[in-house]
Amino acid sequence: MNRDSLVPLVASPFRHYINGGWETGATAGVSFNPSDLDEPVGEYVRADVRQTDTAIEAAHAAFRDWSLASAQRRADALDAIGTEMLGRRDELARLLAREIGKTLPEAQTEATRAGQIFKLFAAETLRAFAEPLASARAGVEIDVTREPLGVVGIITPWSAPLAIAAAKIGAALAHGNCVVFKPAESAPACAAALASIIGRAGLPAGVFNLVMGSGRQVGARIVAHPLVAAISFSGSTDTGTRVLQAAAARQVRVQLEMGGKNPFVVLADADLDGAVDAALSGAYSSTGQRSTAAARLIVERAVFEPFVDALRTKLAKLSVDHALKHGTDIGPVANAAQLERNLDYVRIGQQEGAQLVRGGQQLERATRGYFFEPALFIGEPEHRIAREEIFGPLAVVLRAHDYDHALHLANDTAYGLCAGICTRSLERARHFRRHVQSGLVTINLPTTTVEHHAPGGGRKASAYGATDAAFWTAVKTAYVAG
Ligand code: NAD
């Protein structure tokens, strides 16, 4: 008998998980499937400040013992979480597709990645963190060790609710910290499913806690609470800036992964078919709701028209429909606010004189959902649609005179998350890789090409602070004599 038939993954109402038990909230809401607004995903609860404090205090009380737990104990728990996630990836994927509107293949990829991330941290836990250092003096030893921080507040967006949470929770627990996790309000089911799996992994009560609710109340309280030793945040640059200001006010450690407006350069010598496919996937997969999406397509003038024509043709063949329907290429937009934002930016683009090549309309399908026809604009670098993060299936093509101009346009942005280039020239590829101002760079691949064991990161308004062990631990240098 497999595990699925023994334990339900998660059931509505989706509740908080505090100090090893499930708790109802101060208030409740209902989430709906963005592919079918007549289908509720479930009821979920919201915490108030008092309940948030209870979770933080539980994590604080659990920290001493957990921080001293053996590496094997931590590894076993993380491995158990990863094993159950991978064993139930189809259930998780269906839930993710119903909650966020990722197509089933996209959701399966994310659920698998989330499970693999926990497995990766299980293995990392068993690596020695000590770094012996030679002393300048005879008879003295220097030991550099890393110690866990305490309670870590983890605040995440709705766009990849399993994978982003896995990366942060996995790292925090692997390094001996306790967690208070606040997911986005529009992804409560995935968060509760994750908490139920973590709850079965043998962690002591209080080591992992889930509190759901609004950013302004629950999120802000986590950032402000004196018992929270560090905050790891993913979300928009605007919210990240607020989190940073609040964290700075009490000088607490903080790490932010934020928005992007990522350039994807196509040079005249590129394999045009490959470049169009990479642009299509980079700009529109996951309904464009990825921080790594290629939102600015910068194309050298010699291939500008053929590129736009080929992209328009391929875009027209994509099927936008219910996320669980076989053959759907693009699922719905995840929520009403994001749909409104996409439609607003289509209007803004038209008002500022950008040329709408195709798409940009709300679509009707057999079910009542947030369906939006992927949009392609030809624009100018100063247009708002070419400068501001939209976070939807909307890309702007910009014309570049030559490579230098393309590089200039690529860097002409407040953001610095990722960047891509398509070229057959090794020299140009190497130059771009060195001079583009971003944390990730892809050569002849979509900008969304991200692997979970490689460092992420970003620059400028896209990121703040380290993401590796340096963030999750505090260094202690010991001088020891004889
Ligand atoms: P958001 O900024 O609206 O919310 C992110 C999280 O912050 C949510 O849990 C929210 O409730 C919480 N929050 C809101 N106000 C808060 C406050 N004052 N204090 C503390 N927490 C608060 O982002 P979103 O709409 O959920 O997600 C989309 C954004 O996330 C996009 O900008 C996207 O680029 C970004 N993102 C970045 C990455 C990355 O790795 N760089 C990955 C995914 C998404």
Side-chain angles (χ1 to χ4, degrees), residues 38-71:
D38 297 315
E39 190 214 335
V41 178
E43 225 177 274
Y44 64 94
V45 300
R46 294 192 199 94
D48 56 12
V49 166
R50 189 196 55 76
Q51 205 166 23
T52 309
D53 286 358
T54 307
I56 294 168
E57 285 155 18
H60 183 68
F63 175 65
R64 190 180 174 282
D65 285 354
W66 180 244
S67 69
L68 299 174
S70 70

Coordinates of all heavy atoms in Angstrom, one line a residue, residues 38-71:
D38 N -15.4 28.7 -10.0 CA -16.5 28.0 -9.3 C -16.0 26.9 -8.5 O -16.8 26.2 -7.8 CB -17.5 27.6 -10.4 CG -18.1 28.8 -11.1 OD1 -18.4 29.8 -10.4 OD2 -18.2 28.8 -12.3
E39 N -14.7 26.6 -8.5 CA -14.2 25.5 -7.7 C -13.3 26.0 -6.6 O -12.2 26.5 -6.8 CB -13.4 24.6 -8.6 CG -13.0 23.3 -7.9 CD -11.6 22.7 -8.3 OE1 -11.1 23.0 -9.4 OE2 -11.1 22.0 -7.4
P40 N -13.8 25.9 -5.3 CA -13.0 26.4 -4.2 C -11.8 25.4 -4.0 O -12.0 24.2 -4.1 CB -13.9 26.4 -3.0 CG -15.2 25.9 -3.5 CD -15.2 25.5 -4.9
V41 N -10.6 25.9 -3.8 CA -9.5 25.0 -3.4 C -9.7 24.6 -1.9 O -9.4 23.5 -1.5 CB -8.2 25.6 -3.7 CG1 -7.0 24.7 -3.3 CG2 -8.0 26.0 -5.2
G42 N -10.1 25.6 -1.2 CA -10.4 25.3 0.2 C -10.4 26.6 1.1 O -10.1 27.7 0.6
E43 N -10.8 26.3 2.3 CA -10.8 27.4 3.3 C -9.5 27.5 3.9 O -8.8 26.5 4.1 CB -11.8 27.1 4.4 CG -12.7 28.2 4.8 CD -13.7 27.8 5.8 OE1 -14.8 27.2 5.4 OE2 -13.4 27.9 7.0
Y44 N -9.0 28.7 4.3 CA -7.7 28.8 5.0 C -7.9 29.8 6.1 O -8.8 30.7 6.1 CB -6.6 29.2 4.0 CG -6.8 30.6 3.4 CD1 -6.2 31.7 4.0 CD2 -7.6 30.7 2.3 CE1 -6.4 33.0 3.4 CE2 -7.8 32.0 1.7 CZ -7.2 33.1 2.3 OH -7.4 34.3 1.7
V45 N -7.0 29.7 7.1 CA -7.1 30.6 8.2 C -6.0 31.7 8.1 O -5.0 31.5 7.4 CB -6.9 29.8 9.5 CG1 -8.0 28.7 9.6 CG2 -5.5 29.1 9.6
R46 N -6.3 32.7 8.9 CA -5.3 33.8 9.0 C -5.0 34.1 10.4 O -5.9 34.1 11.3 CB -5.9 35.1 8.4 CG -6.1 35.1 6.9 CD -6.4 36.5 6.4 NE -7.1 36.5 5.2 CZ -8.5 36.6 5.1 NH1 -9.2 36.7 6.2 NH2 -9.0 36.6 3.9
A47 N -3.7 34.3 10.7 CA -3.3 34.6 12.1 C -3.4 36.1 12.4 O -3.4 36.9 11.4 CB -1.8 34.1 12.3
D48 N -3.4 36.4 13.6 CA -3.3 37.8 14.0 C -1.9 37.9 14.7 O -1.1 36.9 14.7 CB -4.4 38.3 15.0 CG -4.5 37.4 16.2 OD1 -3.6 36.6 16.4 OD2 -5.5 37.5 16.9
V49 N -1.6 39.1 15.2 CA -0.3 39.3 15.8 C 0.0 38.3 17.0 O 1.1 37.8 17.1 CB -0.1 40.8 16.2 CG1 1.1 41.0 17.1 CG2 0.0 41.6 15.0
R50 N -1.1 38.1 17.8 CA -0.9 37.3 19.0 C -0.5 35.8 18.6 O 0.4 35.2 19.1 CB -2.2 37.3 19.8 CG -2.1 36.6 21.2 CD -3.5 36.3 21.8 NE -4.3 35.5 20.9 CZ -4.1 34.2 20.7 NH1 -3.2 33.6 21.3 NH2 -4.9 33.6 19.8
Q51 N -1.2 35.3 17.6 CA -0.9 34.0 17.1 C 0.5 33.9 16.5 O 1.2 32.8 16.6 CB -2.0 33.5 16.2 CG -2.2 32.0 16.1 CD -3.5 31.6 15.4 OE1 -4.0 32.4 14.6 NE2 -4.0 30.4 15.7
T52 N 0.8 34.9 15.8 CA 2.2 35.0 15.2 C 3.2 34.9 16.3 O 4.2 34.1 16.2 CB 2.4 36.2 14.3 OG1 1.3 36.4 13.4 CG2 3.7 36.2 13.6
D53 N 3.0 35.7 17.3 CA 3.9 35.6 18.5 C 4.0 34.2 19.1 O 5.1 33.8 19.5 CB 3.5 36.6 19.6 CG 3.7 38.1 19.2 OD1 4.3 38.3 18.1 OD2 3.4 39.0 19.9
T54 N 2.9 33.5 19.2 CA 2.9 32.2 19.7 C 3.8 31.3 18.9 O 4.6 30.5 19.5 CB 1.5 31.6 19.7 OG1 0.6 32.5 20.3 CG2 1.4 30.3 20.5
A55 N 3.7 31.4 17.6 CA 4.6 30.5 16.7 C 6.1 30.9 16.9 O 6.9 30.0 17.0 CB 4.2 30.7 15.3
I56 N 6.3 32.2 17.0 CA 7.7 32.6 17.2 C 8.3 32.1 18.6 O 9.4 31.6 18.7 CB 7.8 34.2 17.1 CG1 7.5 34.6 15.7 CG2 9.2 34.7 17.5 CD1 7.3 36.1 15.5
E57 N 7.4 32.2 19.6 CA 7.9 31.8 20.9 C 8.1 30.3 20.9 O 9.0 29.8 21.6 CB 6.8 32.2 22.0 CG 6.9 33.7 22.3 CD 5.6 34.3 22.8 OE1 4.7 33.5 23.3 OE2 5.4 35.5 22.8
A58 N 7.2 29.5 20.2 CA 7.4 28.1 20.1 C 8.8 27.7 19.5 O 9.5 26.8 19.9 CB 6.3 27.4 19.4
A59 N 9.0 28.4 18.4 CA 10.3 28.2 17.7 C 11.5 28.5 18.5 O 12.5 27.8 18.6 CB 10.3 29.0 16.4
H60 N 11.4 29.6 19.3 CA 12.4 30.0 20.2 C 12.7 29.0 21.3 O 13.8 28.6 21.6 CB 12.1 31.4 20.8 CG 13.1 31.9 21.7 ND1 14.3 32.4 21.2 CD2 13.2 32.1 23.0 CE1 15.1 32.8 22.2 NE2 14.4 32.7 23.3
A61 N 11.6 28.4 21.8 CA 11.7 27.4 22.9 C 12.4 26.2 22.3 O 13.1 25.4 23.1 CB 10.4 27.1 23.5
A62 N 12.1 25.9 21.1 CA 12.7 24.6 20.5 C 14.1 24.7 20.1 O 14.8 23.7 19.8 CB 11.8 24.2 19.3
F63 N 14.6 26.0 20.0 CA 15.9 26.2 19.3 C 17.1 25.6 20.1 O 17.9 24.9 19.4 CB 16.2 27.7 19.2 CG 17.5 28.0 18.6 CD1 17.9 27.6 17.3 CD2 18.5 28.6 19.4 CE1 19.1 27.8 16.8 CE2 19.8 28.9 18.8 CZ 20.1 28.4 17.6
R64 N 17.1 25.6 21.4 CA 18.3 25.2 22.1 C 18.6 23.7 21.8 O 19.7 23.4 21.3 CB 18.2 25.4 23.6 CG 19.5 25.1 24.3 CD 19.5 25.3 25.8 NE 20.8 24.9 26.4 CZ 21.1 23.6 26.5 NH1 20.3 22.7 26.2 NH2 22.3 23.3 27.0
D65 N 17.6 22.9 21.9 CA 17.8 21.4 21.7 C 18.1 21.1 20.2 O 18.9 20.3 19.9 CB 16.6 20.6 22.1 CG 16.5 20.5 23.6 OD1 17.5 20.9 24.3 OD2 15.5 20.0 24.2
W66 N 17.3 21.8 19.4 CA 17.5 21.6 17.9 C 18.9 22.0 17.4 O 19.5 21.4 16.6 CB 16.4 22.3 17.1 CG 16.5 22.1 15.6 CD1 16.7 23.1 14.7 CD2 16.4 20.9 14.9 NE1 16.7 22.5 13.4 CE2 16.5 21.1 13.6 CE3 16.1 19.5 15.3 CZ2 16.5 20.2 12.6 CZ3 16.1 18.5 14.3 CH2 16.3 18.9 13.0
S67 N 19.4 23.1 18.0 CA 20.7 23.6 17.6 C 21.8 22.7 18.0 O 22.9 22.7 17.4 CB 20.9 25.0 18.1 OG 21.1 24.9 19.5
L68 N 21.5 21.8 19.0 CA 22.5 20.8 19.4 C 22.2 19.4 18.8 O 23.0 18.5 19.1 CB 22.5 20.8 20.9 CG 22.8 22.1 21.6 CD1 22.7 22.0 23.1 CD2 24.3 22.5 21.3
A69 N 21.2 19.3 18.0 CA 20.8 18.0 17.5 C 22.0 17.5 16.5 O 22.6 18.4 15.9 CB 19.5 18.0 16.7
S70 N 22.2 16.2 16.4 CA 23.3 15.8 15.6 C 23.0 16.0 14.1 O 21.8 16.2 13.7 CB 23.5 14.3 15.8 OG 22.4 13.6 15.2
A71 N 24.0 16.1 13.3 CA 23.9 16.3 11.9 C 23.0 15.2 11.3 O 22.2 15.4 10.4 CB 25.2 16.4 11.2

